[in-house]
Amino acid sequence: MNMEIAALSQVATWPNADRRTRIVLANQFMTTGLDREGFEFFSALSARAQGDGLLLALAGTFQSRLEGQAEAAIVKLDAATSLDLGLPHYFRGISLARLPECAGRAETVVADLEFVLMVKDQFPPGFMRPVHAALSRAYDLLGRTEAAAQARGRAGHLITDYWANPDDGFRFAHQRLVEFAPGVYVAQGYDFSDVGFVVTDNGVVAIDAASTPEHAAAALRGLRQITELPVTHVILTHTHLDHVGGLDALTADGAMVIAQANFPHELALQNFGPPPLGYYLSRGQSRRAHVTPDHLVDNEEKLTVGGVDFTLIPISGGESDDGLVIHIPNLDVAFTGDMNMPYLGSPTLAEGSAQGLFEAMQMVIDLRPRQLIHGHTALTDNYTIEAFPGLLAALRDLERIVAAGIADGLTLVEILQLNHLPDVLKDHPVSVMPYLVTRDNFIQRVHRQRTGYWHRGGEGIERFAPAELAAALNLLAGESPAAFNTAGLELARRGEHALALHVVDLGLLSHPDDPELVGLRQSLLDSLVAQNQMLNPFKFMHYAALADLELAPPD
């Protein structure tokens, strides 16, 4: 069983485990093809928590995916819907639709999932993609041809809000303008990053500037439905291109640009860093930014615009050394940029600081804001102020474990395989998912920063190109592409899709035109996209780009 499933399985059994943790675990079982394991896990958990409609529905869902188990599964699914509204109906409708002829229950599928659509605001938007796919099958069986066609146009198998394609890049949500406090708006889904707007009596203060002028201009047009006041200030939370690339679109009225004192140094490092992965940038977008702030903040300072007080607080670490937190005390709001980016910096750049993150998180806790607004929608949704105390304690504990492992000569893989879950998380259920999303990236960053390029176990002493490894494996495989295909299929059956992809990619270097390997590679990429949709957006982007996936915005 992979480490993510092992960790989630442990957490899901805790008495105060939240529903999201259990749903994420169910998704990991499904997308890795471990249906029997999922059935056994949720059946046992449901038996210990009788009366929990979600757990019973998940047990029934997995049972419906097992050969010859449909009848018993439907009994569980029906019972689950009598215990709770919402999620049990969702899982019953989806499960019945997967069965041949909807198990003769097409009307139930329609009733369940049309109800879900009526209350869809209670679900993440991406959950509606499989709803429409299931409804299209049920409508076809009922002869509702037009409704089936409309549903197919909105259908999909992923359950994420993300959308991505080469032209638009990656987005965390559909385009929307969200008001988090009086006069505080955030444009989400216009870009990979979010753009904040604070409307004052005299003008608008923008927080960050998206990746491109086109994206920033679109976000500003969304705000123009609220106010025509000019943008007087643009405050940049840090230097990354997805937060500064669209600056020109926001400074047309002569806005003052404010950034942290380390901004110029970080900008130079970024501009000469390696290319980003996947759909981070849209097609044809420049990788380099040219920004000269009007004012640099070296120490905490106050700014008042149109009767609104802002406190600008420099931070070092978290993601980069030029972070700037913007606190609006009268509104109990803090803009934190990407200080909590779960990769402890961009995974493609040499940055990030564990100690800097700890200090920044404690500083934010001490501010006691009601609302945190991060630089990306998924961070704002999940890294809430309520999650901070437990998350900070858990990450401090994790750092101790990593430091001890390094001192003991453990390799990076060995430290990752410790699968460490701090006990403090048992008392902080809202901190569990942020911790699990951050954990492996945190370990990798700290290990890389505190070790050299030669390791005790011999890692790094010799380096081999993929072509060399492929040639060696091809010898072991008897120069047969079928051997690579067999190994890839068996690893996938065990739920090891990433390792399977690595083996297949090496096989393709020796046998680039083998149709079975090409087809298996695409199947593995599709699985890895689905596996990472709820836990790792950067991996999602990477695998989606490799798979040439073009994902439309959620309904």
Side-chain angles (χ1 to χ4, degrees):
M1 187 180 296
N2 68 36
M3 291 190 299
E4 288 175 343
I5 289 178
L8 286 163
S9 295
Q10 183 176 341
V11 172
T13 63
W14 291 349
N16 60 353
D18 65 12
R19 286 187 157 199
R20 183 176 175 231
T21 299
R22 290 165 171 168
I23 291 170
V24 172
L25 172 59
N27 178 73
Q28 298 310 105
F29 275 126
M30 288 180 191
T31 56
T32 50
L34 300 175
D35 292 332
R36 180 159 296 280
E37 291 85 347
F39 168 60
E40 291 172 354
F41 178 86
F42 283 106
S43 291
L45 193 56
S46 176
R48 296 199 299 271
Q50 294 187 14
D52 189 312
L54 173 61
L55 294 177
L56 187 58
L58 290 172
T61 295
F62 282 103
Q63 190 171 19
S64 74
R65 301 165 74 91
L66 303 177
E67 186 175 355
Q69 295 290 314
E71 186 174 342
I74 292 171
V75 171
K76 288 186 176 66
L77 291 164
D78 286 344
T81 60
S82 69
L83 295 172
D84 195 3
L85 290 174
L87 284 167
H89 292 269
Y90 174 89
F91 285 110
R92 182 173 68 174
I94 298 295
S95 299
L96 289 174
R98 289 186 74 256
L99 296 172
E101 303 295 313
C102 294
R105 301 275 299 274
E107 294 90 348
T108 303
V109 173
V110 170
D112 279 347
L113 299 184
E114 285 186 347
F115 164 70
V116 168
L117 289 175
M118 288 175 60
V119 295
K120 66 180 182 179
D121 290 346
Q122 299 178 27
F123 293 80
F127 271 59
M128 297 306 108
R129 289 185 172 119
V131 166
H132 291 301
L135 279 171
S136 69
R137 292 189 286 274
Y139 287 147
D140 274 331
L141 287 173
L142 296 173
R144 297 173 59 179
T145 306
E146 185 176 346
Q150 291 177 351
R152 273 192 292 274
R154 300 176 177 180
H157 68 284
L158 297 175
I159 53 170
T160 175
D161 299 3
Y162 306 156
W163 56 288
N165 60 66
D167 291 323
D168 296 320
F170 178 91
R171 314 291 177 91
F172 283 95
H174 66 277
Q175 291 185 354
R176 60 198 183 201
L177 191 68
V178 182
E179 185 175 17
F180 283 95
V184 177
Y185 299 91
V186 178
Q188 298 179 337
Y190 289 87
D191 188 79
F192 179 59
S193 66
D194 295 343
V195 181
F197 297 108
V198 181
V199 179
T200 78
D201 291 341
N202 297 342
V204 175
V205 176
I207 313 293
D208 287 338
S211 299
T212 70
E214 293 77 16
H215 294 174
L220 185 57
R221 285 195 295 273
L223 181 71
R224 289 305 177 220
Q225 300 178 34
I226 306 297
T227 179
E228 291 293 333
L229 287 170
V231 177
T232 60
H233 298 74
V234 181
I235 305 175
L236 302 174
T237 62
H238 62 296
T239 190
H240 284 173
L241 182 62
D242 56 312
H243 296 262
V244 306
L247 190 60
D248 288 349
L250 301 180
T251 56
D253 294 321
M256 172 183 283
V257 179
I258 300 172
Q260 207 244 58
N262 285 336
F263 185 95
H265 174 69
E266 288 290 329
L267 184 64
L269 291 177
Q270 175 190 259
N271 280 345
F272 292 96
L277 299 176
Y279 286 141
Y280 175 79
L281 299 179
S282 53
R283 197 195 310 269
Q285 182 181 342
S286 172
R287 290 202 298 113
R288 292 189 170 93
H290 304 281
V291 179
T292 303
D294 300 302
H295 177 68
L296 296 175
V297 178
D298 195 15
N299 296 293
E300 180 178 321
E301 64 180 63
K302 308 291 184 182
L303 172 70
T304 300
V305 181
V308 178
D309 295 328
F310 299 81
T311 304
L312 310 181
I313 309 171
I315 59 173
S316 177
E319 182 169 61
S320 59
D321 286 337
D322 68 324
L324 193 61
V325 170
I326 300 100
H327 184 217
I328 309 176
N330 291 344
L331 296 175
D332 289 331
V333 169
F335 286 87
T336 57
D338 285 358
M339 61 174 266
N340 282 103
M341 181 61 68
Y343 306 89
L344 206 60
S346 168
T348 60
L349 295 173
E351 58 185 8
S353 162
Q355 289 301 321
L357 174 63
F358 298 159
E359 292 169 6
M361 289 183 69
Q362 186 60 59
M363 179 272 293
V364 169
I365 290 171
D366 292 341
L367 292 175
R368 302 180 68 180
R370 174 190 55 81
Q371 176 70 54
L372 297 185
I373 301 175
H374 299 269
H376 299 273
T377 303
L379 295 180
T380 299
D381 289 344
N382 296 294
Y383 287 71
T384 62
I385 190 62
E386 292 80 12
F388 262 41
L391 178 61
L392 177 56
L395 291 177
R396 287 188 185 276
D397 185 65
L398 179 62
E399 186 201 29
R400 176 183 60 81
I401 294 295
V402 176
I406 291 171
D408 289 340
L410 297 184
T411 66
L412 172 59
V413 171
E414 288 170 334
I415 296 174
L416 288 166
Q417 289 178 343
L418 294 174
N419 218 359
H420 183 59
L421 284 171
D423 287 339
V424 68
L425 291 173
K426 293 179 181 178
D427 298 322
H428 296 273
V430 297
S431 305
V432 168
M433 287 309 303
Y435 171 79
L436 289 177
V437 169
T438 303
R439 182 186 64 177
D440 288 3
N441 309 304
F442 182 99
I443 293 171
Q444 291 181 79
R445 181 72 75 184
V446 172
H447 190 274
R448 180 173 287 266
Q449 291 175 339
R450 297 187 186 182
T451 60
Y453 52 89
W454 282 11
H455 297 159
R456 184 183 181 189
E459 292 178 84
I461 294 177
E462 303 292 347
R463 297 287 183 179
F464 302 100
E468 294 175 290
L469 293 173
L473 283 181
N474 199 37
L475 288 175
L476 287 172
E479 300 187 345
S480 166
F484 287 96
N485 189 66
T486 298
L489 288 170
E490 175 58 23
L491 287 168
R493 187 192 67 78
R494 299 178 185 181
E496 299 291 346
H497 291 76
L499 182 56
L501 177 66
H502 188 57
V503 169
V504 169
D505 278 341
L506 291 173
L508 283 166
L509 288 177
S510 298
H511 308 281
D513 299 321
D514 184 78
E516 289 189 338
L517 287 177
V518 170
L520 178 55
R521 182 178 189 270
Q522 186 64 45
S523 175
L524 291 169
L525 287 171
D526 290 342
S527 294
L528 286 165
V529 167
Q531 287 172 38
N532 286 286
Q533 64 185 321
M534 301 183 81
L535 287 173
N536 198 316
F538 271 79
K539 282 187 179 182
F540 179 96
M541 281 194 296
H542 172 61
Y543 291 124
L546 291 178
D548 293 324
L549 175 68
E550 296 196 15
L551 190 62
D555 181 34

